[in-house]
Every structure is written in structure tokens, then in C-alpha cells.
Amino acid sequence: MSRVLRLAQHADYERCVSLFTRSVHALAAGDYDTAQRLAWAPLEPDLPAWRQRLDSLQVWLLEEAGVLQGFIGFSLDGHIDLLYCAPEAARDGVASQLLAQAEHQLRRAGVMRVCTEASLVARPFFLRQGYRVTAEQWVQRGAIRLLRCEMDKQIRRETADATGRGKSAAGQTDDGGDGGVRAR
């Protein structure tokens, strides 16, 4: 089956929030205790707050056979705010494909430095993608503290080649497509 990468619509937001909650509770259990996971991802999320947050970001989804596999939310200033995969899709290239799409969009916007605040779970993934830890940070959620890592990566801005197709400063050509990317 092929995967489809596309921009999220308002109608997708509840699925994103549900995936976020499932992901935190299933994938972060080895690094955060139950109280920390509940503070991070309450079982009854504040959907209006989530809609407002997602509206402020560029949000891309990766689906397979219409089933949400993961999503990424970022701002065009280079900040990756959200990157979550369905537990059943973890370690299956979903996060890599979503991050590549975000970095592509950011290059096109002229961004040269991407940053994020990664959980302890996400830190190894971002390190493998060429990010570096710039600081450790404690976040307060009510009475609960969570450790995360500020991370960043330098990226090269994209220019157009003679055909009008996107080309990174490293020379990799992109088809400049509309996000209808399919992966293995």
C-alpha cells in the first residue's frame, strides 16, 4: 500500500489529537511515568485549545489507506512544534518522511535553522536526523515536571534550477510537487 502525505484540514484535527494522546501514552511509557504522561496528554483533551494551536501551524499528515499514521506541525519560522506517529507505525519511516516534508517546506520558505523541543523519546530520532541538543529543559504542567531537549539543525535554503524545480544548496533536486508523496 502507498502512503499519502498531505496538508491537514480542520476536519482532521480530532484524529491528530487522538493520535497524539495514543502516541504519548504508548510510546513514552519507558521515559515518563503515568503522572507525567497524563499531564502531557490528558485523556480528555481540550479540543478548542488544540484547534487554535493547530490553526497556528502548518500541519502535514501521513496516511495509509485513509488511516492516519502520523502528523507534523511547524511554523514557517523554522520551529517544529509537533511530530507524532501512531504507535503501530512507530519505527516504520513515518516520522522521517514527515520531518523531510517539513524541512523541504522550510527550505522553500528560506529557513536556514530548524529547532524543536524534543521529548526524551524523540531525542534519539532527531539526533539521527542531524539535530543537536542545545539545552535540556524542564517543563511544568500543573504540579508535574517533564524533561525535554532543545534541539536544532542547520539546513540549506532551496533555490530553483533551470527547470524551475526546487534544488537544495547541496544539489538534491525536488519535483516541487504538491505533497502527494508516496513512500515504499
Side-chain angles (χ1 to χ4, degrees), residues 29-116:
D31 293 294
Y32 298 95
D33 65 29
T34 301
Q36 289 173 315
R37 293 191 317 273
L38 286 169
W40 178 6
L43 297 179
E44 294 186 27
D46 181 348
L47 291 177
W50 268 102
R51 284 187 194 99
Q52 186 176 11
R53 182 177 184 184
L54 294 172
D55 275 342
S56 72
L57 301 170
Q58 192 167 118
V59 180
W60 286 80
L61 310 177
L62 188 64
E63 298 174 310
E64 189 168 343
V67 176
L68 183 61
Q69 302 295 300
F71 72 98
I72 191 166
F74 58 95
S75 55
L76 292 178
D77 65 358
H79 182 249
I80 308 262
D81 190 10
L82 303 159
L83 176 54
Y84 291 91
C85 296
E88 58 277 7
R91 302 192 185 286
D92 196 21
V94 171
S96 296
Q97 191 172 351
L98 287 164
L99 185 60
Q101 177 65 16
E103 288 180 359
H104 168 73
Q105 294 298 321
L106 292 167
R107 275 188 204 94
R108 292 179 78 184
V111 171
M112 298 180 70
R113 179 183 165 271
V114 181
C115 63
T116 193

Side-chain angles (χ1 to χ4, degrees), residues 2-42:
S2 65
R3 292 179 175 166
V4 176
L5 183 60
R6 67 173 177 83
L7 274 168
Q9 306 296 316
H10 286 134
D12 298 311
Y13 287 179
E14 282 192 43
R15 290 190 315 145
C16 290
V17 174
S18 176
L19 184 144
F20 161 82
T21 304
R22 287 188 317 110
S23 178
V24 168
H25 289 282
L27 300 176
D31 293 294
Y32 298 95
D33 65 29
T34 301
Q36 289 173 315
R37 293 191 317 273
L38 286 169
W40 178 6

